[in-house]
Amino acid sequence: MGETSRRLPVTLAPRTDELLSSWIGRHAEFYAVPPLAMLRHCLPEASSLRAADLDLNEDQVFRLARMFSADQTMVHRMTFANIAQSSRRLIAKEPVQSCSRCHPAKHDPRPVLRSQLFGWRITCTLCGCLLRHSGRHDRQLLSAATMGLLS
């Protein structure tokens, strides 16, 4: 496939552990376009942001890195490529938890971290604080974590 578009004139630095779709979404907000339109500007064949988080080939990583003037290794690290295919069904579609220290409510737009989609996480990968879980399982998870049942 030939070169279809040029590099973006303004790019935003990714946050530590940020998910690729979140980073693309922040760019989309900056440029006032829908996130999927931003992704398809780079990868016309892309079916969804979730698919980009889960399955990118090396050519697609190269093209995204070029478009966003980023390092290919960094783009690759923002995906779930290091998660076994059999475990990917355990990755949430939306954040199931957050850290009040690393992601205070005043951040807008709030970047989504890869670790926020791992329901099995109990502590923040960045600061080590207990995560706040959304939904009704908060008390059960906190109780299990404090009793040493989860690690």
Side-chain angles (χ1 to χ4, degrees):
M1 181 174 180
E3 186 71 26
T4 59
S5 52
R6 297 187 305 215
R7 294 179 185 192
L8 296 173
V10 175
T11 56
L12 308 172
R15 305 288 199 276
T16 302
D17 195 38
E18 186 168 13
L19 186 60
L20 180 63
S21 58
S22 171
W23 189 54
I24 291 170
R26 289 192 305 113
H27 281 90
E29 184 167 317
F30 178 84
Y31 285 101
V33 298
L36 187 56
M38 176 61 69
L39 175 62
R40 287 189 174 153
H41 177 69
C42 307
L43 303 174
E45 73 279 10
S47 60
S48 70
L49 289 162
R50 173 104 172 141
D53 288 335
L54 294 172
D55 296 304
L56 287 180
N57 62 42
E58 291 305 313
D59 178 60
Q60 291 169 323
V61 169
F62 170 79
R63 289 168 30 214
L64 280 171
R66 187 173 194 296
M67 178 65 65
F68 290 99
S69 301
D71 179 66
Q72 291 179 55
T73 303
M74 183 209 59
V75 171
H76 196 262
R77 243 190 333 253
M78 297 171 81
T79 70
F80 291 116
N82 64 338
I83 304 293
Q85 191 72 31
S86 60
S87 297
R88 291 183 186 179
R89 68 177 183 263
L90 300 174
I91 299 170
K93 292 180 181 169
E94 296 178 2
V96 293
Q97 57 210 5
S98 64
C99 176
S100 57
R101 179 186 286 176
C102 295
H103 290 97
K106 65 181 179 249
H107 285 268
D108 196 30
R110 295 172 76 176
V112 176
L113 305 184
R114 291 173 71 250
S115 57
Q116 287 180 277
L117 303 182
F118 299 149
W120 60 86
R121 296 269 337 146
I122 300 298
T123 58
C124 177
T125 56
L126 302 177
C127 72
C129 288
L130 283 177
L131 294 171
R132 284 186 324 225
H133 293 268
S134 59
R136 59 184 172 84
H137 301 291
D138 257 0
R139 286 179 287 229
Q140 293 170 340
L141 287 171
L142 182 58
S143 176
T146 56
M147 291 178 10
L149 299 176
L150 301 172
S151 55

